[in-house]
Amino acid sequence: MKEMINELLVSLSGRNESNAIVFVHGFPFDHKMWQAQVVEISKDYFCVTYDIRGLGESTVDDGQFTMESFVDDLEKIIDELKLNRPVLCGLSMGGYISLRAIERIQEKFSALILCDTKSSADDNEGKLKRAAAIKLINSGGFESFIDAFVLNCFGEKFVKEKRNEYDAVVNRSMMNNSIGVKGCLLAMVSRTDTTNILNKIKLPTLIICGSEDKLSPPDVMKSMAEQIPNSEFVLVKNTGHMTPIESPQVVNQAIKNFLTKNRI
Ligand code: MLT
């Protein structure tokens, strides 16, 4: 079932009396990146996915977003749906939103799953890359930006062996509004560093990382896991940054094991 909350497209699957999981997607994707998880995990949990403001079928507004406004949106969805301490699961930009949400409102969640993300803010090189991306988009290079960015997100094996699935993701990403995409780039470049809250996370936490992830590599994510007291680290072999799409069975099993172990 789909509904609009605060001008955001929200998709609901599973029985709403079950424990809830809110999935927050990465950039420049949309809620459909969690499709394989929702199909499997909604058998036992109430799965909530949504399109982040500026992407997919959610409003683009004026394209002026911040990480804070993204957390406001997440909180609004949880409140509107009256979710009782859902599990929060975010990938990459969705992980930045999740980490900042935990810093602001940890008490609203029961557990945390971080896929292919990092707690550090953009360094100078990262900031200049965002600026170059905006310049490229402004000079008519939206499609080449999406092409190159999405290619860098996936592992070689997936692109070679699952070409149709890969092309479908690229095509969906191309359908985004360029103002929304630039708004997300500016929200990411202006995000805070959440590293100093890692040791204050009290929730059971699962960290999932693709072995070939170039954007949030295994050593970075392993170090995050070491700083979070009640955490476990799962490395997904032969997989890039997009673990839920590239290796759905491994990711689903890791999530199910984690939830069962923590009696959620
Ligand atoms: C994502 O997958 O959300 C992006 O790679 C995040 C980023 O560009 O920092």
Side-chain angles (χ1 to χ4, degrees):
M1 195 178 86
K2 286 186 180 175
E3 60 179 90
M4 296 305 287
I5 297 177
N6 196 22
E7 297 185 287
L8 305 179
L9 186 280
V10 180
S11 175
L12 309 171
S13 308
R15 295 181 311 131
N16 65 0
E17 58 271 26
S18 306
N19 288 336
I21 308 183
V22 181
F23 293 89
V24 192
H25 66 80
F27 168 90
F29 309 103
D30 65 12
H31 75 282
K32 288 250 170 86
M33 65 146 280
W34 298 111
Q35 205 157 14
Q37 284 63 54
V38 169
V39 167
E40 184 59 30
I41 293 170
S42 66
K43 291 175 188 160
D44 297 307
Y45 297 88
F46 184 54
C47 293
V48 178
T49 56
Y50 68 99
D51 287 348
I52 290 169
R53 192 172 295 269
L55 298 175
E57 292 172 57
S58 288
T59 184
V60 172
D61 283 342
D62 56 3
Q64 310 283 301
F65 318 133
T66 63
M67 210 43 67
E68 298 311 295
S69 65
F70 286 158
V71 175
D72 294 341
D73 283 340
L74 169 65
E75 195 173 4
K76 179 96 178 159
I77 290 169
I78 292 168
D79 291 347
E80 286 285 314
L81 294 173
K82 297 188 175 35
L83 302 178
N84 179 23
R85 297 188 68 225
V87 175
L88 180 58
C89 175
L91 177 133
S92 200
M93 180 173 76
Y96 308 156
I97 297 170
S98 302
L99 280 164
R100 180 62 184 138
I102 293 298
E103 185 171 15
R104 275 174 44 178
I105 46 168
Q106 173 158 210
E107 67 288 352
K108 287 207 170 188
F109 302 99
S110 59
L112 176 64
I113 302 170
L114 295 171
C115 306
D116 305 276
T117 191
K118 52 187 177 236
S119 56
S120 55
D122 285 358
D123 59 13
N124 281 351
E125 192 191 339
K127 286 178 182 159
L128 292 174
K129 270 194 192 157
R130 306 277 191 209
I134 290 173
K135 188 172 177 180
L136 176 62
I137 295 170
N138 284 341
S139 59
F142 179 71
E143 296 197 351
S144 42
F145 166 69
I146 295 286
D147 256 334
F149 193 94
V150 174
L151 182 62
N152 197 37
C153 285
F154 282 85
E156 263 174 45
K157 185 172 187 287
F158 185 83
V159 177
K160 218 196 270 165
E161 292 176 10
K162 301 269 170 71
R163 192 70 207 193
N164 291 346
E165 276 182 58
Y166 172 75
D167 286 343
V169 176
V170 175
N171 291 339
R172 277 189 78 77
S173 303
M174 292 282 184
M175 281 160 65
N176 283 312
N177 183 305
S178 63
I179 292 177
V181 166
K182 288 190 287 180
C184 290
L185 286 166
L186 289 169
M188 287 192 283
V189 83
S190 63
R191 76 189 189 275
T192 57
D193 189 311
T194 51
T195 307
N196 64 356
I197 64 123
L198 297 177
N199 64 6
K200 299 186 186 78
I201 298 177
K202 296 189 180 75
L203 308 176
T205 301
L206 172 64
I207 307 263
I208 297 176
C209 185
S211 61
E212 318 300 318
D213 186 342
K214 295 185 274 259
L215 291 120
S216 36
D219 59 328
V220 169
M221 292 207 78
K222 223 180 254 167
S223 150
M224 283 169 67
E226 279 159 15
Q227 295 172 71
I228 302 174
N230 184 9
S231 68
E232 62 181 275
F233 177 79
V234 171
L235 184 71
V236 187
K237 289 194 188 127
N238 294 319
T239 304
H241 185 61
M242 301 304 294
T243 49
I245 298 180
E246 295 180 57
S247 296
Q249 285 91 354
V250 181
V251 169
N252 290 353
Q253 199 54 55
I255 294 177
K256 288 200 286 188
N257 291 348
F258 168 74
L259 296 174
T260 308
K261 197 166 118 188
N262 288 288
R263 298 171 197 280
I264 294 168

